[in-house]
Amino acid sequence: MFNSKIVAFSKYVPEKIVTNNDLSEIVDTSDEWIFSRTGIKERRVSTSENTSEVCAKAAEASIIKAGVSPDEIELIITATMTPDYSSPSTACIIQKLIGAKKAVSFDLSAACSGFVFALCAADKFIKTGAFKNALVIGGEVTSKVIDWSDRGTCVLFGDGAGACVIKQGKGGGIIAEDLHSDGERFDSLTSLYTPVNNPYHKEGGEGFNRLTMDGREIFNFATRKVPESIAAVLQKANISSEDIKYIVPHQANSRIVEIISRKMKIPMDKFFMNMDRYGNTSAASIPIALAELSDMGLIKEKDKLIITGFGGGLTWGSAIIEL
């Protein structure tokens, strides 16, 4: 059995910054209303780039940092809920854009938990020896599925991508994980619905691509399940929160993180947050945060981090990674 080691993190976000004040010109809201409820001040919005393009730019930067060539990448897993197409996969388009001609490429759909799920999946391919080098990406252009007249959702989300390269190594990697799904509550967060509609179907239907969310349900779900998941990975790894350098949560809402901190009696300064600048970037939020931690020199080899995601599906999960 091999170990998987994360050797590089990178991010890419579009240039266009949309502030809370900008949104107040579109919907009935204000900077104070948004920030006090979410901790978000601004977000990035794509003016032209689709999901594959923002992901490819994050991926290219990660490959360069890792010191590998595109030809050495054997696996690409892209976590996204805003793909360019239903088919082909966004990962296959990224493969073309970055020139990773030898990579097996596919998407993974677990909404805002997607990067955690994708990293854990890639870890298994590496540990079994199936592949030596993998690229894991979380990327979204949520702006294309948002209802910009709905202040309950349009103020929350942003666009961007984060990526990491993982390789076979002697140490580090994922040392514990805890993944879950609850399809009973699938309709708490939905997007890109396509109904059955053909000449033989009794009742035709219309699809819709707008994101819909029961904000209260997601808030309550996250504040219940995330503390349980963090506790589970700590127990599986047989370590305490004091052994963790940072907890990197899905960047959805600062109030959610504050409640998790209080419930677990873990200081807020151990939770890394950047949602004030990027908003909720869904599957991209955790890898963007990891890339910022790396770029700022706040993490180093041998540090242990907890990543924890939650979102549509419903899905949630955590992993302890050692750098």
Side-chain angles (χ1 to χ4, degrees):
M1 180 74 76
F2 301 93
N3 281 335
S4 65
K5 186 173 180 63
I6 302 172
V7 295
F9 299 104
S10 289
K11 73 177 193 299
Y12 174 80
V13 292
E15 291 184 7
K16 177 67 175 177
I17 297 174
V18 176
T19 67
N20 292 344
N21 286 329
D22 293 331
L23 289 179
S24 70
E25 299 176 3
I26 299 174
V27 293
D28 180 19
T29 191
S30 68
D31 176 61
E32 189 280 331
W33 190 91
I34 299 169
F35 184 71
S36 65
R37 288 163 175 78
T38 68
I40 298 168
K41 297 287 288 184
E42 61 188 38
R43 71 285 296 144
R44 301 299 181 99
V45 173
S46 174
T47 57
S48 61
E49 299 156 311
N50 211 334
T51 304
S52 62
E53 295 169 283
V54 297
C55 287
K57 289 176 180 178
E60 286 176 327
S62 187
I63 289 171
I64 291 170
K65 281 188 177 181
V68 298
S69 70
D71 274 350
E72 293 178 272
I73 299 298
E74 300 171 324
L75 172 68
I76 300 172
I77 305 178
T78 301
T80 186
M81 69 172 200
T82 56
D84 292 17
Y85 302 90
S86 295
S87 179
S89 71
T90 302
C92 281
I93 303 172
I94 295 166
Q95 179 194 28
K96 174 184 182 296
L97 291 174
I98 67 175
K101 297 180 180 179
K102 299 177 182 177
V104 175
S105 307
F106 62 89
D107 289 353
L108 186 152
S109 179
C112 305
S113 308
F115 181 78
V116 180
F117 280 41
L119 188 65
C120 290
D123 171 71
K124 306 304 177 295
F125 282 109
I126 296 290
K127 284 182 175 175
T128 59
F131 302 109
K132 293 181 179 179
N133 299 311
L135 178 63
V136 180
I137 309 163
E140 308 282 9
V141 177
T142 56
S143 60
K144 66 185 180 181
V145 300
I146 293 298
D147 179 354
W148 287 92
S149 66
D150 176 15
R151 75 169 185 171
T153 54
C154 76
V155 303
L156 301 176
F157 293 92
D159 301 339
C164 70
V165 172
I166 64 176
K167 305 176 69 173
Q168 281 186 0
K170 295 182 179 179
I174 295 177
I175 59 177
E177 64 185 56
D178 177 69
L179 306 178
H180 300 275
S181 301
D182 179 8
E184 292 292 329
R185 292 182 284 173
F186 79 91
D187 54 357
S188 297
L189 197 163
T190 63
S191 182
L192 297 170
Y193 175 63
T194 305
V196 174
N197 190 354
N198 60 54
Y200 307 101
H201 186 54
K202 292 180 180 179
E203 296 180 6
E206 293 185 1
F208 62 88
N209 70 335
R210 299 305 180 199
L211 183 147
T212 64
M213 182 176 69
D214 182 338
R216 183 175 295 276
E217 172 65 21
I218 296 297
F219 188 97
N220 292 337
F221 144 71
T223 53
R224 287 195 310 270
K225 293 300 184 181
V226 173
E228 293 175 5
S229 185
I230 292 174
V233 289
L234 288 170
Q235 183 177 21
K236 289 177 181 180
N238 195 28
I239 60 177
S240 76
S241 61
E242 294 178 358
D243 299 310
I244 301 297
K245 184 68 177 290
Y246 285 104
I247 298 173
V248 183
H250 167 48
Q251 308 288 308
N253 186 309
S254 61
R255 292 166 65 189
I256 290 176
V257 180
E258 289 165 3
I259 292 172
I260 294 168
S261 168
R262 190 161 62 248
K263 280 188 172 183
M264 302 204 69
K265 297 181 172 59
I266 298 175
M268 275 295 293
D269 61 8
K270 185 153 281 194
F271 291 83
F272 182 80
M273 295 194 294
N274 61 6
M275 67 194 74
D276 60 319
R277 289 173 288 120
Y278 302 116
N280 179 346
T281 54
S282 186
S285 76
I286 291 174
I288 287 175
L290 289 169
E292 290 212 326
L293 277 170
S294 177
D295 291 345
M296 295 164 67
L298 296 177
I299 51 177
K300 62 183 187 301
E301 193 168 6
K302 301 298 184 182
D303 281 345
K304 294 182 179 65
L305 311 174
I306 292 178
I307 57 175
T308 185
F310 54 90
L314 295 174
T315 59
W316 69 100
S318 304
I320 297 178
I321 56 178
E322 183 176 318
L323 301 178

